[in-house]
Amino acid sequence: MKTRTQFFRLCFLILVFIFQACGQSSKKNNTQTSTMGNKINKPGNPYYSNTDSTKLNVTDAEWKKVLPEDVYAVMREADTERPFTGKYWNTDEKGTYYCASCGNKLFRSGTKFASNCGWPSFFEQDNKKSVVYKNDNSLGMERIEALCGRCNGHLGHLFDDGPPPTGKRYCMNSIAMDFIPDNK
């Protein structure tokens, strides 16, 4: 009986992703970023700093003014990008991943692994404060939502089916992250 319930939950989840994919616009991420040394500049976003880890308390109305519409939808409204479409789901370049809203350091590329789920996956966060968690009971299932530890922006979800040494899989939205290669 438990297997049958799991099967129906999986089917439901697949249908939700299909409907989300059909309903999402094809707006291009218009985030203005430029890599200068090991910093990312985001003109128009006064909250972005990949060197400051001070906790932010910014209203959704203010985030809406400074974030591109597609980034806002994922990070502030917990939307999900379509699987296999994000810019980081299938990359193996060495570097560091930062929050696309505030610049908080999230993950190092050495903790990224190929999970074949369609989103970038990591087995460990950068430090114990870089990602925080919240119970998510949406879509008829129990999950753990992963949020930026600095701005509380939605990054994705945390699952217990990752590789050693942690056994965790941080399943992240590419659009919720910026990347700086080690060679910059």
Side-chain angles (χ1 to χ4, degrees):
M1 187 67 172
K2 187 174 183 178
T3 304
R4 187 175 189 186
T5 302
Q6 289 172 333
F7 172 76
F8 285 118
R9 280 187 177 173
L10 179 62
C11 289
F12 177 75
L13 183 61
I14 290 169
L15 286 173
V16 167
F17 283 130
I18 290 170
F19 287 121
Q20 277 186 333
C22 292
Q24 287 182 349
S25 69
S26 60
K27 293 181 294 259
K28 189 174 182 179
N29 179 353
N30 62 359
T31 305
Q32 296 179 2
T33 60
S34 62
T35 304
M36 304 173 113
N38 281 343
K39 291 181 91 172
I40 295 175
N41 265 342
K42 289 213 174 181
N45 184 347
Y47 311 109
Y48 196 93
S49 171
N50 59 351
T51 58
D52 184 0
S53 60
T54 306
K55 185 85 169 151
L56 294 173
N57 188 14
V58 179
T59 66
D60 279 342
E62 189 59 30
W63 281 122
K64 195 164 198 145
K65 292 178 189 175
V66 300
L67 295 177
E69 194 175 327
D70 50 356
V71 175
Y72 180 86
V74 169
M75 300 211 68
R76 307 316 309 174
E77 298 175 333
D79 201 355
T80 302
E81 68 187 352
R82 290 174 294 193
F84 306 103
T85 63
K87 56 188 169 185
Y88 304 127
W89 82 269
N90 196 23
T91 63
D92 60 2
E93 191 173 3
K94 301 299 179 211
T96 305
Y97 293 86
Y98 297 87
C99 173
S101 288
C102 72
N104 188 39
K105 187 176 180 184
L106 301 171
F107 303 99
R108 293 283 302 146
S109 60
T111 66
K112 189 173 186 287
F113 67 98
S115 68
N116 299 316
C117 67
W119 293 275
S121 296
F122 303 85
F123 62 79
E124 186 174 51
Q125 64 193 52
D126 181 65
N127 67 65
K128 66 181 181 176
K129 293 182 180 181
S130 61
V131 179
V132 296
Y133 312 98
K134 180 172 104 176
N135 288 332
D136 177 3
N137 296 315
S138 64
L139 303 179
M141 64 183 82
E142 292 178 24
R143 298 182 295 170
I144 299 172
E145 182 179 11
L147 305 162
C148 172
R150 182 168 183 241
C151 71
N152 283 328
H154 173 78
L155 301 169
H157 289 89
L158 176 64
F159 300 97
D160 288 325
D161 59 359
T166 64
K168 302 293 183 190
R169 175 172 55 98
Y170 293 80
C171 184
M172 304 290 99
N173 289 287
S174 288
I175 199 168
M177 298 184 296
D178 290 325
F179 177 76
I180 297 179
D182 281 345
N183 61 359
K184 294 285 182 186

